[in-house]
Amino acid sequence: MKEKVVIKGTKSGIILVLSPEESFETLKMAVAEKFEKSADFLGEAQKAIQFQGKQLTDEQKMELVTVIQSHCRLSIVCIMENDDKLEKSFQETIAKQQSMANQNSGQFFKGNLRSGQVLDVETSIIIIGDVKAGAKVISRGNVIILGSLKGNVYAGADGNYNAFVVALDMDPMQIRIADTIARSPDKPKRSKTKETKIAFFENGNIYIEPLDRDVINDIRL
């Protein structure tokens, strides 16, 4: 007897072959049973998925994704259409989704970074402390410093021009966002009162401005 549902796995994705003769409700139950039985084998991972065999509406595809994720530990990050180079498309899509997730998530670091120290992270980073002159922070996302910035910061290290840098006391040696660099002048004019500022990319340049409500509303994530 021909199987109602067949799972074909690759390194980065899943091809779900559905019997065209079966009703959608029957297939939905078969998918739930199939993935529940295969949960331990499939493990915990992010996967792209492609449906083959039966014509489905977008709503039906989303229903099946929900069923899959509720019956195993997989996270389905996208639905792929037909592609001759499917595995390459799977890999590229997974990488893009992971990059976006990293930019919009973050971690904390507590302590001061001193000269010669480098903090290199895949996500956005919130530093509770100072970044001293000669220290360096590299982030694929945003950098928020709850202290003084006197060293170097590289935000949006994977080419993200929407990345930004915030510091309670902004006096950097160098700020880089994506591939644009802004250097501190030799003799910067320092305000007597410390002011939280944000560095961001716009129209080919990096601007440093006081962080107020209007600027916060314009932040692009």
Side-chain angles (χ1 to χ4, degrees), residues 1-206:
M1 183 177 67
K2 185 178 178 181
E3 289 192 69
K4 299 173 185 176
V5 175
V6 176
I7 302 173
K8 297 180 179 179
T10 72
K11 289 182 179 180
S12 308
I14 291 173
I15 302 170
L16 194 61
V17 184
L18 307 172
S19 172
E21 290 84 18
E22 301 292 341
S23 69
F24 177 71
E25 290 303 318
T26 299
L27 289 173
K28 195 160 67 166
M29 289 187 289
V31 167
E33 182 181 0
K34 195 85 169 179
F35 277 88
E36 188 167 23
K37 289 181 178 179
S38 305
D40 290 338
F41 174 76
L42 295 170
E44 184 176 349
Q46 290 187 326
K47 295 283 187 179
I49 193 168
Q50 183 188 83
F51 297 102
Q52 293 182 359
K54 186 177 181 67
Q55 287 292 111
L56 300 172
T57 66
D58 290 341
E59 290 77 13
Q60 288 174 331
K61 291 177 183 178
M62 291 306 300
E63 277 191 61
L64 290 181
V65 168
T66 300
V67 168
I68 291 168
Q69 294 184 141
S70 62
H71 285 83
C72 67
R73 300 190 301 277
L74 293 180
S75 174
I76 306 299
V77 298
C78 68
I79 299 171
M80 302 290 294
E81 299 303 327
N82 291 331
D83 194 316
D84 293 336
K85 299 178 180 178
L86 193 58
E87 176 58 23
K88 182 179 179 182
S89 296
F90 277 154
Q91 292 175 351
E92 290 175 350
T93 303
I94 292 292
K96 182 177 180 181
Q97 292 287 336
Q98 289 175 338
S99 175
M100 291 174 64
N102 286 340
Q103 290 168 12
N104 290 322
S105 62
Q107 56 182 293
F108 288 87
F109 174 86
K110 186 174 182 180
N112 297 324
L113 291 175
R114 304 187 183 281
S115 180
Q117 292 183 309
V118 178
L119 179 61
D120 190 341
V121 296
E122 294 292 329
T123 65
S124 295
I125 183 74
I126 298 174
I127 298 171
I128 304 173
D130 299 330
V131 179
K132 305 288 188 180
K136 187 173 185 179
V137 180
I138 303 171
S139 166
R140 276 68 183 167
N142 310 306
V143 178
I144 298 174
I145 301 167
L146 302 181
S148 64
L149 169 57
K150 297 182 183 296
N152 302 318
V153 170
Y154 182 8
D158 61 352
N160 177 20
Y161 285 98
N162 288 334
F164 57 83
V165 179
V166 170
L168 298 185
D169 182 19
M170 181 83 75
D171 185 23
M173 294 179 65
Q174 183 186 98
I175 287 180
R176 177 174 175 177
I177 297 176
D179 61 0
T180 301
I181 297 173
R183 292 183 175 84
S184 178
D186 292 336
K187 294 181 180 180
K189 294 181 180 179
R190 298 286 291 149
S191 172
K192 292 182 180 179
T193 58
K194 295 180 181 180
E195 185 177 25
T196 302
K197 292 185 178 180
I198 182 171
F200 59 93
F201 177 88
E202 188 172 85
N203 298 326
N205 295 298
I206 293 175

